[in-house]
């Protein structure tokens, strides 16, 4: 990792440099692959020690800052924030690459290996009341439960009917 230090109203001492480099050495595993460039800005203003870190890594920019009465504590807090961002970004990259490889494996079956299809499961849901209802009541029930369709016993004739949501926003009705 390449470090660039900037001090505003404070001299960047070798102790501050080693403090930052030691902390980044502990989290260097998060920045494998393409080398990262870190710009560390420290400043003192009215007794407050402020630190800001900007890291360019891959195509991302990670930034964090904190302010404290102690410069070492401020740097540690800022590096902790950078670590959180880097961990989140790395997990995102790993998840994305794993997802892509799984799809690629499934979409290209080999000639010798047969595709194994797992049996579909039937999942039971809540049973609706078996009392007869009108078409309007069925539509209200379907909207209340956020269903795409609802099968019910029609109160007018006692026959089985199906109400469904159409693509144009209206409702459809099928009777048996």
């Amino acid at each position: 990792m390449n470090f660039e230090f900037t001090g505003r109203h404070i001299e960047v001492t070798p102790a501050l440099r080693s403090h930052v480099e030691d902390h980044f050495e502990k989290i260097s595993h998060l920045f494998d692959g393409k080398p990262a460039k870190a710009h560390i800005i420290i400043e003192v203003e009215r007794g407050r020690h402020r630190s800001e870190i900007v890291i360019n890594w891959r195509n991302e920019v990670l930034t964090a800052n904190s302010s404290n009465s102690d410069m070492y504590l401020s740097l540690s807090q800022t590096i902790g924030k950078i670590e959180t961002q880097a961990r989140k970004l790395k997990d995102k990259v790993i998840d994305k690459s794993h997802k892509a490889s799984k799809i690629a494996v499934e979409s290209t079956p080999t000639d010798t290996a047969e595709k194994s299809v797992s049996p579909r499961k039937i999942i039971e849901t809540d049973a609706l009341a078996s009392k007869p209802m009108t078409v309007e009541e069925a539509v209200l029930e379907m909207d209340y439960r956020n269903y795409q369709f609802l099968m019910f016993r029609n109160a007018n004739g006692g026959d089985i009917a199906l109400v469904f949501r159409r693509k144009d926003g209206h409702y459809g009705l099928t009777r048996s």
Side-chain angles (χ1 to χ4, degrees):
M1 180 175 285
N2 300 329
F3 295 101
E4 181 181 327
F5 290 89
T6 303
R8 296 181 184 152
H9 309 289
I10 188 173
E11 182 183 341
V12 181
T13 62
L16 287 172
R17 287 178 189 265
S18 67
H19 179 76
V20 170
E21 290 170 359
D22 289 344
H23 272 297
F24 271 106
E25 190 174 308
K26 293 176 185 175
I27 63 170
S28 64
H29 66 279
L30 295 174
F31 298 104
D32 345 344
K34 192 173 179 183
K37 180 183 173 193
H39 186 198
I40 296 95
I41 304 164
I42 57 175
E43 69 177 306
V44 176
E45 185 177 311
R46 296 183 183 159
R48 298 297 296 171
H49 296 271
R50 188 178 160 285
S51 62
E52 178 179 356
I53 299 177
V54 179
I55 295 183
N56 293 320
W57 179 53
R58 298 186 182 204
N59 293 332
E60 303 291 330
V61 178
L62 307 175
T63 60
N65 57 32
S66 64
S67 181
N68 206 312
S69 60
D70 180 34
M71 181 56 75
Y72 291 99
L73 187 57
S74 176
L75 283 167
S76 296
Q77 289 174 347
T78 306
I79 294 169
K81 291 177 184 179
I82 289 289
E83 178 183 6
T84 303
Q85 291 177 21
R87 188 175 311 278
K88 186 175 181 181
L89 180 64
K90 186 166 184 174
D91 289 345
K92 181 179 170 183
V93 168
I94 289 172
D95 289 346
K96 187 175 181 181
S97 66
H98 284 234
K99 184 178 180 183
S101 65
K102 287 179 184 175
I103 292 172
V105 169
E106 289 179 18
S107 65
T108 57
T110 60
D111 295 335
T112 58
E114 292 184 22
K115 233 181 182 181
S116 63
V117 178
S118 61
R120 297 186 184 208
K121 296 180 182 178
I122 298 174
I123 300 170
E124 220 173 296
T125 59
D126 298 334
L128 293 175
S130 59
K131 68 173 185 148
M133 53 174 100
T134 65
V135 176
E136 290 79 20
E137 290 173 332
V139 169
L140 288 173
E141 182 75 21
M142 186 176 72
D143 285 342
Y144 175 74
R145 295 187 182 262
N146 199 19
Y147 289 158
Q148 293 298 317
F149 61 91
L150 179 69
M151 186 175 283
F152 64 99
R153 183 169 302 276
N154 197 342
N156 295 339
D159 55 338
I160 303 295
L162 176 73
V163 174
F164 58 93
R165 205 179 305 266
R166 295 170 38 121
K167 290 182 182 178
D168 62 0
H170 297 289
Y171 297 99
L173 175 66
T174 307
R175 297 179 188 175
S176 63

